Amino acid sequence: MKIICLFFVFLAFSVNILNAIPILRVFLPSQNPIEKAGFILAQKKKLYAEKNLNVNFIEANQEDPLTALDYGLADIVQESLPIALAKGAKNPAYTLYAQLYQMPTTTIACIKPGVEDLQQLAGKNIGYSSPKDLLNTQIWFAYTGFNMEGANPLYKFERFDNLGEAFSRGKLSCGVMERHQVPLVTAKTTSQFSFFSPTFEQGGVLSEGLYINETSLQSPDFKSNLELFLKISEAGWRYCFEHKEEFYMQILDQKFKDIIPLEVALRTLSLIEENFDFKAQIPFGLVSKTKINYTVINMLKTQNYSQLSDYPKNSFFLNELISN
């Protein structure tokens, strides 16, 4: 009897210890593990666990990540800034907690020879596989004055499940993607490509960030857990960028190695590193007011596509997020 009592006391103590460890549910919607390599590395090397932070990477609606916040399925989700701003105008509960990419990442790849400038895209079908890539491109094109409306728009977009396959089979000559996706897409064809990318001044916008529900900030413990998550994740990404081949050889699952060659993975990680812009030596997730303002202004000037009609007035942007 004494042994049984001791067992239950130990069990209760163990449960209390487990419950005391903070748990964060994180939804990173990309199906490409290279795009979330730093988070995966931090998890598999137990960097979160070493700091007594239990991070649970969940699966949810990949087409609409923010619904995971709406239904309380996740504490942190990754989404692009234009889509989050558009949805935030209707649902003011979203708060951008960390801005991952520090520059416009949209690019249009066109098989050579052919298109030499954006004007020559007129009349061609431009392929895309992600709604966020389409939206970023529409904001960019509308800002620069290109016509995409009416019965016979000058610029047309067509969705493909796999851009690389569409290029390789001759179904597509130009496609929209993010810069770091170029190696994976173009690896499936021997063609040479020209690339066209926006700057902020041309209507470009910031892309991926991490979002939380505004009400979560009312809990000091939750906020400190977020800060710890960002700090550890930064360490994971920095280690990953410094040891790209180690990530591929030791961390990446074999099923992805079978479809992502080492060279493609290394090039992709190098481009993501540029998107993060760690060279600026600023804390992970921080972004300048200038970049935020550029993005919002570019969207306000293209309301037909961005669906943004006013500068966000709620807690969408945290003061901690923005640097001078």
Side-chain angles (χ1 to χ4, degrees), residues 51 75 83 110 123 130 151 156 167 208 227 254 259 270-271 274 319:
K51 298 295 183 181
D75 303 304
I83 288 179
C110 292
S130 167
K156 303 176 183 178
F167 277 124
E208 302 301 307
E227 292 169 355
Q254 184 60 47
I259 58 177
S270 293
L271 288 170
E274 291 180 17
N319 290 332

Side-chain angles (χ1 to χ4, degrees), residues 226-238:
L226 281 178
E227 292 169 355
L228 182 59
F229 172 75
L230 286 182
K231 184 177 180 179
I232 299 170
S233 299
E234 177 178 357
W237 275 108
R238 287 186 182 275

Side-chain angles (χ1 to χ4, degrees), residues 78-112:
Q78 184 173 338
E79 181 57 281
S80 75
L81 183 53
I83 288 179
L85 279 168
K87 289 199 68 177
K90 301 173 184 177
N91 181 356
Y94 306 133
T95 294
L96 174 60
Y97 194 77
Q99 179 61 42
L100 300 180
Y101 298 164
Q102 300 292 315
M103 62 188 70
T105 59
T106 304
T107 192
I108 296 177
C110 292
I111 293 177
K112 291 182 177 180

Side-chain angles (χ1 to χ4, degrees), residues 157-190:
F157 298 91
E158 182 178 358
R159 185 164 187 175
F160 291 86
D161 291 333
N162 190 314
L163 287 181
E165 184 178 299
F167 277 124
S168 65
R169 294 189 176 185
K171 296 181 179 180
L172 191 63
S173 59
C174 293
V176 179
M177 64 201 76
E178 290 188 299
R179 291 173 68 247
H180 62 265
Q181 295 169 343
V182 167
L184 187 61
V185 172
T186 59
K188 299 180 180 181
T189 174
T190 58

